[in-house]
Amino acid sequence: MPNSPTLKDLLASTKHSAVHLEMRDGYMESDPSFLAWKEGKRHLPEDNDPEQRPWLRWVREATDRGVAIRRARVFSVPESDYIRFEHHVSDANVRAGEQIGWLSRRRATDIAFPGNDFWVFDNELVVILHFTGDGESPDDWMELSTEPAVRDLCVSAFEAVWERAVPHAEYRPG
């Protein structure tokens, strides 16, 4: 989508809050970091380095401004390799200031979800994230919406998950 803001831009302009709901069991499994993790390479410098993982820098900049960043993950059990990898690299996200919660899909049956992962910035702008069937991100992967019904569904789903989610520090994949 030409001239669309990036996640970096959106986070930089956020004033109060950013919430993110992830509902897939795998993303971008072609990611070199994931492939290295699958080969047993743990605690690589790039896992924790804000220069190599710019997201960590953006989170720190936002949280230093007082922005609350919360991410919730809904996942299947037993966990996929990708979910175990996400748990491993999420330690750095938490150190950067992001709050992360984990909710097994079995505990989410009665929650109404939108059809896609999303971000909600300052309870106003929804960024809907589209992925291919194998979890890769197509060129047009981000869709922006200020539609009240979409926003309300996303906020409601996120808060319902967050209320039940296990904090990152307490969750250990099986």
Side-chain angles (χ1 to χ4, degrees):
M1 196 153 83
N3 301 321
S4 293
T6 63
L7 285 175
K8 176 185 178 183
D9 299 332
L10 293 165
L11 200 54
S13 65
T14 300
K15 293 174 179 55
H16 308 287
S17 67
V19 300
H20 181 35
L21 185 61
E22 297 178 353
M23 299 178 286
R24 296 179 57 92
D25 287 320
Y27 298 87
M28 298 167 276
E29 294 187 18
S30 62
D31 175 5
S33 294
F34 173 62
L35 296 173
W37 181 89
K38 280 182 69 172
E39 292 172 1
K41 298 174 184 161
R42 305 291 195 271
H43 308 294
L44 299 172
E46 55 267 26
D47 290 346
N48 299 296
D49 183 354
E51 294 307 313
Q52 295 184 56
R53 277 187 69 201
W55 177 255
L56 301 175
R57 187 174 61 252
W58 306 340
V59 167
R60 175 55 62 209
E61 290 167 357
T63 57
D64 283 351
R65 290 192 329 270
V67 175
I69 302 174
R70 297 183 293 157
R71 177 189 307 252
R73 293 185 171 122
V74 176
F75 58 93
S76 301
V77 175
E79 298 88 345
S80 68
D81 283 346
Y82 197 88
I83 292 296
R84 286 192 292 279
F85 163 73
E86 276 192 326
H87 188 273
H88 171 75
V89 298
S90 291
D91 290 342
N93 293 50
V94 171
R95 283 192 303 275
E98 194 172 341
Q99 300 170 61
I100 300 176
W102 300 83
L103 183 66
S104 77
R105 201 170 307 285
R106 287 183 177 267
R107 295 190 55 225
T109 300
D110 61 340
I111 298 173
F113 289 108
N116 297 289
D117 290 8
F118 61 84
W119 278 94
V120 180
F121 294 94
D122 289 330
N123 277 340
E124 294 174 7
L125 176 65
V126 178
V127 177
I128 302 155
L129 304 175
H130 299 283
F131 294 92
T132 62
D134 59 0
E136 300 295 325
S137 54
D139 291 339
D140 61 345
W141 76 298
M142 288 178 36
E143 175 186 350
L144 288 93
S145 175
T146 55
E147 181 66 37
V150 171
R151 180 204 57 226
D152 293 350
L153 174 61
C154 291
V155 168
S156 171
F158 180 87
E159 294 302 336
V161 169
W162 192 256
E163 183 177 303
R164 296 180 191 179
V166 175
H168 179 73
E170 298 172 23
Y171 183 72
R172 295 289 169 257

